[in-house]
Amino acid sequence: MTSVVTQAPERKTSQAADFDVLVIGAGFSGLYQLLCLRDRLGLSVQVLEAGAGVGGTWYWNRYPGARCDSESHSYCYSFSDELMREWEWSERYPGPAEILRYLNHVADRFDLKRDIRFNTRVSGSHYDETANLWRVSTDAGDVLTAQFLITAVGCLSSANIPNIAGLDTFEGRWYHTGQWPHEGVDFSGKRVGLIGTGSTGIQAAPVIAETAAHLTVFQRTANYSVPARNAPLTPEFRRYVKEHTGEIRRVMHSTVNGHPWPVADRLALETSPEERQALYEKAWETGGLRFRATFRDLVTDKAANDTAAAFIRNKIREIVKDPATAAKLSDFDHPYAAKRPPIDTDYFETFNRDNVALVDVRAEPIDRITPRGIRTRDVEYPLDIIVFATGFDGMTGSLLRMNIRGRDGLSLAKAWAAGPCNYLGLQVAGFPNLFMVTGPGSPSVLCNMPVAIEQHVNWITDCIAHMRMNGLKRIEPKDEAMDSWVAQVNAAANATLLPQAKHSWYLGANVPGKPRVFMPYAGGMAHYRKICADVAARNYEGFALSA
Ligand SMILES: Cc1cc2nc3c(=O)[nH]c(=O)nc-3n(C[C@H](O)[C@H](O)[C@H](O)COP(=O)(O)OP(=O)(O)OC[C@H]3O[C@@H](n4cnc5c(N)ncnc54)[C@H](O)[C@@H]3O)c2cc1C
C-alpha cells in the first residue's frame, strides 16, 4: 500500500559521485527515505546522522514526562501492513524509550543501519553546477558527493536556548529538554526552575515535581491543555488495530491533521450551549488531541474557539485550588489550538502541590540568571537546576545551520532572509536536486507527522524514479510556482486562527531576529496530498526538469 514506484533493486552509482543520494537525518523521515530509495529504486544512498543512533526527536528528547501526543497506533509508519500488525504498542502515548525501540526495530527489520553514518554532523552542503553534484561536508572534515541531497533533519531538532544574561555564571546545572542527558538527571532534593510552558514544559512539570524538593515554573504564555488520559492499551484495542490497519490508514489519510479520527462535521455555534457543554465534557473525559476535533469550526471561527477556551478555563479553575494561580494559568493570550495544543498528565493538578510555584514572567519578567538562580524584576529564586523547555528554532533552524549553498553560491539563509519560500515545501529555486522532507510550506507540524513524512518521502521517491526513467538529471521549481505556493501558504494560514498566536514558533516568534512568517501549510494534510499528487500527474507542473 504505497504510491512508490517499485523497481528491481540494482545498485548503480553515477560515475562522478560517491552516492546517488545523500540523506541527512535518521529519524522517521531519514529511515523511510533510505528504505524507499535503496530497496525500491536500487540507488546507492548514504544517511548522515549527528546522533549515535536512529530515532531523531526520540533520540534527543528524553526529558522526564516526554511522550508523543499522537496516539501510538497512528504514530508509526503505515507503509507496511506487516509492520503495522507485528508491532505491539504498550500505551496510548508511548515515551522515548518505546518509540526508540520501535524505530530500531524498523531499522533492523529493513537492515537500514549499514547505510547510516552516525556521529556525523553535516556542516556544509554546496551545489556544484558543472558536475551537477552536491558536495556535503561533515564536522569530521569529510566531503561526500551525490546527485541528490535530501534533508530529513526534522522540524524540531535545533534546540532554542534563550539568551538570558548571566547563564554562564550559574553555579548549578542547566539542561535543555531537547538535548537531555541519556543517563538522566536526578532531581531529588533539588530546587528546580523550569522555563517554558509549551507541550514539553507541560509534560515535564508534573514528573519533575514528584522528586524535586521544589519546582518553580516560569510561565510567559498561559497554555491550554487537555488531559491526555494515557493508559496501557487493552488486548481488545490491540486486536482492533491489527484487524483494521487499512481502515485506520484510510482515516489518517483523509483528515486535516492525519490523526486516526475524523473531525466532527458540526459547528460549535450551531450547537445548543447544553449540548456543546456535554460534548466538551465527553471530549475532556476521552482526552488527548481528539478534543480539537469536537467541532469543525474551532480553528477557523473565533467565536466558536471562545467556547472551547471558556470550557478549558473553567476546568483549570475547578482543578487549581489557589484562585490567583488558576487565574495566571488561564490568562490566555491566543485562541485555543492556535499554538501546538498540549495534552497532559496532571499538569494543572501539579500546582496544588506544596512544593510547586508559578511565576508569571509577563507580570514579573526575568531579569537575569545569577550564580544562585533566576532573578526576576522583583525576586531572586534560588535554584540548583534550571530546565529550559523553550523549544526549538522550528522548521528552518536545522536547515539553515547546515550552510546550504545552491547555484552560484547562493546561500539558503540569503534566499530565506525574509522567511522560507519554496514550492510545496519540497524544493527551492536555485537549489537543484535538493529535496526537503517536511520543509516549511508543507503541513508537517500541523499533522500527525508520520503521515506527513510518508507522503513527502513517497512523493520524492516517485519523482526521482520518474527522473531516472526519463533520463532527467536536474529538477528545481520555477520562480512563479514558488511565488504562487507562498501565496497559497499565506492564504491557508489566514483562513485559520493560527496566525493570531503572536508568540508562536509556527511564526518564528520564539527566536529573536527570525522573520515573522507563518511557516507550515495550514490547508490540511488531505488537501495538500491531492495538490502534490496533481502536480506529479501533470508532469511535475511548476518544476523545471532537464536532462
Ligand atoms: C518533544 C516532542 C514531542 C513530539 N511529539 C509528537 C507527536 O506526538 N506527534 C507528532 O506527529 N510529532 C511529534 N513531534 C514531532 C517529531 O519531531 C516528529 O513526529 C518526528 O519525530 C520527526 O521525524 P524526522 O525524522 O522528520 O525528524 P527528527 O526526528 O527531528 O530527526 C532529524 C534528525 O536529523 C539529525 N540532524 C539534524 N541536523 C543534522 C545535521 N546537520 N547533520 C546530521 N544530522 C542532523 C538530527 O540529529 C535528528 O536525528 C514531537 C517533537 C518533539 C520535540
Side-chain angles (χ1 to χ4, degrees):
M1 165 69 200
T2 165
S3 67
V4 172
V5 177
T6 305
Q7 275 186 194
E10 158 215 335
R11 287 297 166 84
K12 222 157 108 273
T13 314
S14 54
Q15 294 288 304
D18 298 326
F19 299 96
D20 293 319
V21 188
L22 284 166
V23 176
I24 310 171
F28 267 96
S29 300
L31 292 178
Y32 183 46
Q33 188 67 79
L34 167 60
L35 185 154
C36 286
L37 294 173
R38 187 192 70 183
D39 297 351
R40 295 183 184 157
L41 300 194
L43 303 186
S44 70
V45 185
Q46 175 85 137
V47 178
L48 305 171
E49 166 56 54
V54 301
T57 289
W58 308 102
Y59 175 87
W60 300 104
N61 288 261
R62 306 192 196 195
Y63 58 85
R67 286 189 183 283
C68 67
D69 294 340
S70 295
E71 299 194 8
S72 54
H73 67 292
S74 63
Y75 193 68
C76 52
Y77 295 110
S78 69
F79 66 85
S80 155
D81 280 353
E82 296 78 48
L83 182 61
M84 280 179 94
R85 283 198 211 101
E86 78 195 12
W87 183 259
E88 297 262 349
W89 293 107
S90 70
E91 294 180 278
R92 185 171 174 187
Y93 310 101
E98 190 168 4
I99 303 173
L100 281 176
R101 269 202 305 283
Y102 169 73
L103 289 171
N104 274 286
H105 167 74
V106 173
D108 293 337
R109 190 189 194 281
F110 296 99
D111 193 16
L112 299 176
K113 288 180 187 165
R114 68 183 153 93
D115 290 311
I116 305 173
R117 201 186 280 196
F118 293 109
N119 299 308
T120 303
R121 184 169 287 282
V122 170
S123 49
S125 309
H126 298 186
Y127 177 67
D128 174 339
E129 178 152 35
T130 315
N132 189 30
L133 287 178
W134 280 92
R135 294 187 193 283
V136 172
S137 37
T138 73
D139 55 1
D142 296 330
V143 177
L144 302 167
T145 56
Q147 184 188 357
F148 294 99
L149 177 62
I150 303 181
T151 63
V153 292
C155 300
L156 302 172
S157 55
S158 282
N160 175 41
I161 298 164
N163 187 14
I164 304 176
L167 179 58
D168 54 337
T169 68
F170 183 54
E171 287 171 358
R173 312 293 302 257
W174 65 268
Y175 306 93
H176 186 282
T177 51
Q179 297 172 340
W180 203 256
H182 290 186
E183 63 281 10
V185 175
D186 183 6
F187 292 105
S188 43
K190 299 283 194 286
R191 297 161 303 175
V192 182
L194 173 68
I195 302 182
T197 54
S199 296
T200 289
I202 281 176
Q203 287 181 334
V207 185
I208 296 175
E210 275 170 23
T211 53
H214 191 271
L215 171 68
T216 308
V217 177
F218 293 86
Q219 168 190 283
R220 182 197 55 189
T221 309
N223 215 335
Y224 303 88
S225 186
V226 169
R229 312 250 182 246
N230 190 30
L233 295 182
T234 62
E236 295 74 41
F237 185 77
R238 290 184 199 188
R239 195 169 332 112
Y240 163 81
V241 170
K242 286 185 197 306
E243 288 170 2
H244 295 84
T245 50
E247 193 182 323
I248 292 168
R249 183 171 40 222
R250 189 183 51 70
V251 176
M252 280 162 40
H253 284 191
S254 63
T255 61
V256 176
N257 302 111
H259 287 290
W261 56 80
V263 177
D265 190 23
R266 61 181 165 234
L267 300 170
L269 297 180
E270 289 185 3
T271 306
S272 72
E274 297 73 28
E275 194 189 351
R276 199 164 57 213
Q277 180 72 11
L279 288 165
Y280 281 141
E281 284 290 355
K282 187 159 174 270
W284 184 267
E285 283 314 308
T286 305
L289 293 172
R290 290 169 191 259
F291 188 91
R292 184 178 49 185
T294 312
F295 299 103
R296 76 176 148 85
D297 50 352
L298 289 186
V299 290
T300 51
D301 182 331
K302 179 67 168 56
N305 191 286
D306 287 344
T307 67
F311 178 87
I312 297 175
R313 189 176 295 114
N314 286 338
K315 284 290 181 195
I316 296 171
R317 288 177 180 165
E318 278 169 35
I319 296 168
V320 179
K321 294 194 181 117
D322 172 39
T325 304
K328 285 184 206 163
L329 286 166
S330 58
D331 185 16
F332 307 126
D333 68 355
H334 59 285
Y336 163 65
K339 298 181 88 173
R340 189 165 185 265
I343 62 174
D344 71 273
T345 301
D346 296 337
Y347 176 64
F348 295 116
E349 288 82 349
T350 295
F351 293 94
N352 293 333
R353 296 178 65 115
D354 293 338
N355 69 335
V356 176
L358 179 69
V359 175
D360 173 3
V361 302
R362 273 190 306 183
E364 189 190 335
I366 293 178
D367 184 29
R368 61 182 296 111
I369 293 173
T370 67
R372 280 167 28 90
I374 293 180
R375 187 199 299 281
T376 64
R377 195 190 53 198
D378 307 332
V379 187
E380 179 173 7
Y381 294 88
L383 300 169
D384 304 304
I385 297 177
I386 299 174
V387 175
F388 290 98
T390 43
F392 302 89
D393 182 353
M395 314 220 53
T396 55
S398 289
L399 291 168
L400 293 176
R401 285 179 196 189
M402 288 191 296
N403 187 19
I404 297 177
R405 289 178 184 275
R407 184 182 292 113
D408 301 328
L410 173 67
S411 78
L412 189 63
K414 190 161 181 213
W416 284 4
C421 44
N422 60 26
Y423 183 36
L424 302 174
L426 284 161
Q427 275 216 308
V428 187
F431 299 80
N433 297 349
L434 169 69
F435 291 98
M436 300 175 182
V437 181
T438 67
S442 73
S444 64
V445 291
L446 300 180
C447 189
N448 175 34
M449 287 207 68
V451 174
I453 287 167
E454 284 187 328
Q455 184 266 341
H456 257 192
V457 168
N458 287 342
W459 194 96
I460 293 166
T461 307
D462 284 347
C463 177
I464 292 177
H466 168 85
M467 290 177 69
R468 291 176 74 90
M469 274 188 292
N470 293 284
L472 300 165
K473 298 271 186 273
R474 217 184 293 238
I475 179 169
E476 68 180 297
K478 296 176 182 163
D479 287 335
E480 60 273 23
M482 225 165 62
D483 293 345
S484 157
W485 184 246
V486 169
Q488 288 181 64
V489 172
N490 291 336
N494 291 332
T496 71
L497 304 172
L498 274 63
Q500 292 186 21
K502 297 287 174 236
H503 300 297
S504 157
W505 58 261
Y506 295 155
L507 273 166
N510 61 330
V511 177
K514 194 165 169 169
R516 299 285 170 103
V517 175
F518 192 87
M519 293 178 283
Y521 175 69
M525 185 62 220
H527 184 56
Y528 173 81
R529 181 188 297 280
K530 181 166 182 329
I531 293 173
C532 291
D534 289 348
V535 163
R538 288 196 293 266
N539 215 8
Y540 293 91
E541 185 179 55
F543 289 95
L545 289 122
S546 55

